[in-house]
Amino acid sequence: LKALLARYNNSRYFFPHPFIIRFTIQGTGLVYDFDLKTSILKRIDQTIHSGHNFGAYQFYRKGILYSVGGEGMWSYNRQITYFDEKTKEWEILRPKNKGPEAMANGFQGYSDTENAYFTGGGDHKNYLENERIEIERGFFRFDFVTKNWEKLGEINSDLPIKEHRYMYWNGTHFVLMGRDRLFIIDPKKNEIYMYRDNSFYFEGGEMQFARHDTIMYYHNGEQGPVISIPVNGLLKKAIYFGKFYKKDYSMYYYGVACLLLISISTWLFLRNRSPKQLQLDRAEINVLNRLLAEQNRPISTQELNHLLACDTKSQESQRRIRFMMIKQINEKIELHLGIHECIE
């Protein structure tokens, strides 16, 4: 245990007090404190083993231990929980809106300066079907002040996150190991920089630590040697690669459609036209009713997926269903009202 006194920090042990090392057991709610003065190891939680959050990202925020995401019991855990020092139990922090479908592996990190949690590029698979793994391209930010999730956009398709899955976080930058290349990512500035070194092989290890800007990890399991990545130093030698994510305008995507529908309603009223009744199915009626009922609030991609009952399908299937639905509505409106491309 003397090796832990360097005060490196990862998701398995922490230093909440000068002479206390706190251990958490992945996939459980178990929490242990080891007293360096008395050499006593004591379990301090009163939770029951649940096995639903293997691979959860854990961190300290304002003196409180948090656990985000993970997987287990043939599903993904989408919860944000924190360890209550008074009750000695894990409590749920409830966001005000819906966040990502899965938060396991990929880019996971808490920013103290932003008071926000970043997540994206994780694994996503259907456990009860073929278990085919898909990479979540959406990138999200959770604000601890407003308790709101925000989808920042879609991760740059040129970033090889499918081929390379070792991603580290130092509190400011994500680092993606790309063998002969190292990608340094600033989620706040939305920038990617690439550092290339043909004499070094950038490949991750099982145990990783962060001290200031430097990331360290064990190569070849825990046998060593310890590899150091001075992120700020390498950033000065790196070249600009591109934007990390493409801005997400899904909240405004259907704003134009709302305005057009209002215009159609006004035009029909003024002209007192009585066209042949539109033949709409239930899904089309739901979409149009939603757009007319809440004209001041644009419909999001997630809400549209829910209306079309396709929110459990793959991202590609969701895009296809949304496209076909809007196309069908446009064709019917054009046929009966003569308005071309009513919904853009």
Side-chain angles (χ1 to χ4, degrees), residues 275-289:
K276 184 179 178 181
Q277 184 177 3
L278 289 174
Q279 297 297 322
L280 302 173
D281 61 28
R282 175 52 55 186
E284 293 169 340
I285 293 174
N286 289 340
V287 172
L288 290 175
N289 282 341

Side-chain angles (χ1 to χ4, degrees), residues 309-339:
C310 65
D311 45 1
T312 60
K313 299 182 181 297
S314 67
Q315 289 182 332
E316 185 60 31
S317 296
Q318 292 174 359
R319 294 191 189 98
R320 184 172 60 255
I321 292 171
R322 293 196 301 268
F323 172 80
M324 292 303 298
M325 176 58 63
I326 294 174
K327 180 181 178 182
Q328 289 175 188
I329 295 175
N330 278 335
E331 289 176 349
K332 291 181 179 181
I333 291 178
E334 182 175 6
L335 177 64
H336 290 80
L337 304 177
I339 301 175

Side-chain angles (χ1 to χ4, degrees), residues 35-70:
D35 192 316
L36 294 173
K37 290 184 176 180
T38 63
S39 296
I40 294 176
L41 180 66
K42 180 181 179 181
R43 180 181 173 183
I44 64 169
D45 69 278
Q46 296 181 7
T47 55
I48 300 174
H49 171 78
S50 56
H52 71 293
N53 61 342
F54 290 94
Y57 186 85
Q58 296 178 340
F59 57 93
Y60 260 86
R61 172 185 173 270
K62 300 185 182 303
I64 299 174
L65 177 62
Y66 286 81
S67 181
V68 179

Side-chain angles (χ1 to χ4, degrees), residues 5-263:
L5 296 178
R7 296 189 180 280
Y8 299 147
N9 197 6
N10 73 352
S11 62
R12 292 181 178 85
Y13 58 84
F14 307 88
F15 292 87
H17 305 289
F19 296 98
I20 297 293
I21 302 176
R22 176 158 292 176
F23 295 84
T24 61
I25 310 300
Q26 290 287 312
T28 75
L30 302 179
V31 182
Y32 293 87
D33 276 354
F34 181 77
D35 192 316
L36 294 173
K37 290 184 176 180
T38 63
S39 296
I40 294 176
L41 180 66
K42 180 181 179 181
R43 180 181 173 183
I44 64 169
D45 69 278
Q46 296 181 7
T47 55
I48 300 174
H49 171 78
S50 56
H52 71 293
N53 61 342
F54 290 94
Y57 186 85
Q58 296 178 340
F59 57 93
Y60 260 86
R61 172 185 173 270
K62 300 185 182 303
I64 299 174
L65 177 62
Y66 286 81
S67 181
V68 179
E71 58 185 310
M73 302 296 290
W74 301 279
S75 64
Y76 288 98
N77 177 14
R78 297 165 51 192
Q79 294 180 342
I80 301 174
T81 59
Y82 62 93
F83 186 70
D84 191 313
E85 294 287 349
K86 294 180 179 180
T87 64
K88 302 301 181 183
E89 294 183 353
W90 290 93
E91 306 292 347
I92 298 177
L93 188 157
R94 302 186 185 279
K96 295 180 179 178
N97 60 340
K98 186 177 179 180
E101 294 295 331
M103 293 179 286
N105 301 318
F107 298 106
Q108 309 289 335
Y110 169 71
S111 170
D112 188 56
T113 57
E114 291 292 297
N115 199 10
Y117 183 79
F118 294 104
T119 177
D123 299 339
H124 194 187
K125 63 183 177 181
N126 191 324
Y127 281 96
L128 302 180
E129 292 184 6
N130 55 18
E131 295 198 10
R132 178 182 176 182
I133 297 177
E134 296 182 358
I135 304 301
E136 172 62 59
R137 282 282 175 177
F139 190 71
F140 295 80
R141 178 182 186 272
F142 178 76
D143 190 313
F144 278 92
V145 176
T146 65
K147 294 182 174 58
N148 279 314
W149 281 104
E150 176 188 6
K151 185 177 181 180
L152 299 176
E154 296 286 318
I155 295 175
N156 191 329
S157 59
D158 293 329
L159 193 65
I161 62 174
K162 185 175 182 179
E163 297 84 354
H164 306 292
R165 298 301 291 160
Y166 280 107
M167 306 162 187
Y168 298 143
W169 170 251
N170 70 354
T172 303
H173 295 93
F174 287 110
V175 171
L176 173 64
M177 313 294 278
R179 296 185 179 178
D180 62 331
R181 298 174 296 170
L182 187 75
F183 297 92
I184 302 174
I185 301 161
D186 188 328
K188 178 183 177 181
K189 296 181 178 179
N190 190 20
E191 295 176 341
I192 305 174
Y193 288 85
M194 182 181 70
Y195 173 77
R196 186 183 293 274
D197 187 345
N198 294 328
S199 64
F200 192 83
Y201 195 67
F202 295 104
E203 186 175 27
E206 294 300 322
M207 298 287 291
Q208 63 92 13
F209 313 88
R211 189 181 190 187
H212 306 301
D213 73 295
T214 302
I215 294 173
M216 288 163 277
Y217 61 93
Y218 289 106
H219 220 26
N220 300 322
E222 297 186 13
Q223 303 302 314
V226 177
I227 307 298
S228 298
I229 302 177
V231 176
N232 290 348
L234 297 183
L235 190 58
K236 297 177 181 178
K237 304 175 184 179
I239 61 174
Y240 181 72
F241 183 81
K243 294 292 186 181
F244 179 35
Y245 52 83
K246 182 179 180 181
K247 292 286 187 178
D248 181 28
Y249 297 104
S250 61
M251 292 299 294
Y252 310 98
Y253 183 74
Y254 298 100
V256 175
C258 293
L259 294 176
L260 286 174
L261 286 171
I262 294 172
S263 300

